[in-house]
Amino acid sequence: MTSDDGEHRHGFTKSVRRFFWLPRGASRDAAPVRPLARVWVFVVAAGAGAAALGWGDMVVVVMFVGIVQALLDDVIKGVRHRWPAFVAALSAGWSTDRLIRAVVSAPADPDWADWPGLACGSLAAFATFVAVTRLPAGPRRA
């Protein structure tokens, strides 16, 4: 084992720790709205494109993976209240998706059946994530 391998392992361990626990002095800003809005527009358009092409199952995959990836990207960057915001966002998105599917009648085309709920659910997830990261930070512990 060379010294580079040891440094690489230490760097990997540091990255994993940062994913779960930020260093004490790290800034914890709120999640930016504009990049998440762009991702939402892209995810909704990609889901609509997949539905239009007849890829019914891919609509769910494309939209869900896009949402989770965008939220995890901000979690990794270290936004304020990142893990509670992530959990609240996924809960709000899933709940909204289920509510829309229960209230709105499904389109005649089965490829479009998942899209309305996922579009509304993804918007709810992003809005919840941004809102939770904008809550004031709690008092610092000594």
Side-chain angles (χ1 to χ4, degrees), residues 5 22 26 31 60 68 106 111 113 123:
D5 289 338
L22 288 176
V60 176
V68 171
D111 292 330
L123 181 60

Side-chain angles (χ1 to χ4, degrees), residues 44-55:
V44 168
L53 291 172
W55 303 340

Side-chain angles (χ1 to χ4, degrees), residues 55-71:
W55 303 340
D57 295 337
M58 288 302 293
V59 172
V60 176
V61 172
V62 166
M63 293 183 79
F64 183 75
V65 168
I67 294 162
V68 171
Q69 188 275 331
L71 296 179

Side-chain angles (χ1 to χ4, degrees), residues 42 50-51 61 77 81 88 104 117 127:
F42 174 77
V61 172
K77 289 177 185 173
H81 308 301
V104 177

Side-chain angles (χ1 to χ4, degrees), residues 6-23 76 82:
E7 289 175 15
H8 177 68
R9 285 187 181 169
H10 181 68
F12 176 74
T13 304
K14 217 171 168 182
S15 296
V16 170
R17 278 192 198 136
R18 180 173 168 78
F19 182 73
F20 291 104
W21 302 282
L22 288 176
I76 291 168
R82 61 195 186 143

Side-chain angles (χ1 to χ4, degrees), residues 19-50:
F19 182 73
F20 291 104
W21 302 282
L22 288 176
R24 289 188 186 262
S27 67
R28 291 177 171 90
D29 297 328
V33 176
R34 190 168 288 161
L36 288 176
R38 286 184 193 135
V39 169
W40 181 76
V41 169
F42 174 77
V43 164
V44 168

